[in-house]
Amino acid sequence: DVKVTQSSRYLVKRTGEKVFLECVQDMDHENMFWYRQDPGLGLRLIYFSYDVKMKEKGDIPEGYSVSREKKERFSLILESASTNQTSMYLCASKNPDTGELFFGEGSRLTVL
Amino acid sequence: QKEVEQDPGPLSVPEGAIVSLNCTYSNSAFQYFMWYRQYSRKGPELLMYTYSSGNKEDGRFTAQVDKSSKYISLFIRDSQPSDSATYLCAMSEGNYGQNFVFGPGTRLSVLP
């Protein structure tokens, strides 16, 4: 089974702090994604990566950056957290044969 | 108008009922249609995946796509309390594209 692991399930941070959200997948998928999920808005794409060190902005990249130093690991970085970044963050990797997205269990971030 | 519309619910039904979940969309270029199920405090998991118009059945679940009306449905027969979850529709223009667009999700409760 494909496994996408998000190391932090729940985080509480202060405004202005730097936040790292880590995601690891074990299926050698090239494409990985970071979404945020908010009530009534669904999943919105922040960034995606189609290979090591390659990244593309999604629909809402402002305030975020990403890092993909190894194929299995895709990190989301909030350089200076703000209260409007309080959300559920979901990492996913994509099966290239079927197009199916496999999601991690999510990281719920609260910024005070 | 949002690109994908979905009634957020909540929808409550008695055990054994037939459930109908629906999404409408505006982009006629969408060809791949997916339904994800998301249990509370978990990441979404793929339930059904269909290409273009038509029906697809998998056990108690049937996915239906009507591209002429830009309307997709998920039917759950003999609903069970374990079906209680949020159901997200998602769609994309191509199997290998990055542009997955998600609906906001419908929260379903199946009462014993």
Side-chain angles (χ1 to χ4, degrees):
Chain A
D1 277 355
V2 174
K3 195 163 180 67
V4 178
T5 303
Q6 295 182 234
S7 53
S8 302
R9 293 295 310 279
Y10 300 95
L11 303 95
V12 179
K13 297 291 182 182
R14 296 270 177 205
T15 300
E17 281 193 79
K18 191 169 187 176
V19 182
F20 291 89
L21 299 180
E22 299 279 323
C23 174
V24 177
Q25 52 99 358
D26 65 359
M27 278 301 292
D28 203 37
H29 289 164
E30 291 181 343
N31 291 346
M32 296 186 73
F33 303 78
W34 274 106
Y35 290 90
R36 64 177 281 176
Q37 184 176 30
D38 300 289
L41 297 178
L43 273 71
R44 293 179 291 166
L45 182 63
I46 304 171
Y47 268 96
F48 67 91
S49 169
Y50 50 92
D51 203 348
V52 175
K53 297 191 187 295
M54 307 302 284
K55 60 188 180 186
E56 291 282 344
K57 292 180 180 179
D59 299 319
I60 51 164
E62 296 78 19
Y64 304 95
S65 63
V66 290
S67 173
R68 185 106 180 259
E69 295 296 320
K70 293 184 178 181
K71 194 173 187 179
E72 67 270 18
R73 190 179 297 270
F74 191 35
S75 302
L76 181 69
I77 303 154
L78 288 67
E79 292 290 341
S80 178
S82 63
T83 54
N84 63 11
Q85 292 178 310
T86 292
S87 187
M88 167 73 94
Y89 290 89
L90 289 162
C91 174
S93 70
K94 190 174 83 164
N95 183 319
D97 298 319
T98 65
E100 179 180 355
L101 288 178
F102 292 89
F103 286 90
E105 297 211 325
S107 299
R108 185 167 292 281
L109 172 66
T110 301
V111 182
L112 303 176
Chain B
Q1 184 190 8
K2 289 182 182 176
E3 202 167 9
V4 178
E5 305 261 10
Q6 185 177 8
D7 187 336
L11 178 63
S12 293
V13 301
E15 183 174 353
I18 296 175
V19 176
S20 172
L21 304 168
N22 311 294
C23 287
T24 58
Y25 62 93
S26 56
N27 184 354
S28 58
F30 287 143
Q31 295 192 78
Y32 293 87
F33 304 92
M34 293 145 275
W35 286 96
Y36 281 82
R37 179 176 60 196
Q38 185 175 22
Y39 290 115
S40 180
R41 290 185 288 277
K42 298 283 189 180
E45 56 180 342
L46 185 68
L47 200 56
M48 298 287 281
Y49 187 104
T50 54
Y51 170 70
S52 196
S53 285
N55 291 0
K56 184 175 182 179
E57 191 172 317
D58 184 1
R60 297 184 294 110
F61 299 90
T62 300
Q64 202 171 71
V65 175
D66 182 349
K67 288 188 71 179
S68 62
S69 302
K70 298 192 183 73
Y71 188 89
I72 69 170
S73 300
L74 178 71
F75 298 96
I76 307 174
R77 290 184 299 281
D78 187 25
S79 56
Q80 303 294 309
S82 58
D83 295 326
S84 298
T86 296
Y87 290 80
L88 308 168
C89 63
M91 42 203 81
S92 69
E93 294 181 16
N95 191 23
Y96 298 101
Q98 312 301 344
N99 184 25
F100 294 87
V101 181
F102 286 82
T106 298
R107 190 152 57 94
L108 171 68
S109 293
V110 181
L111 307 173

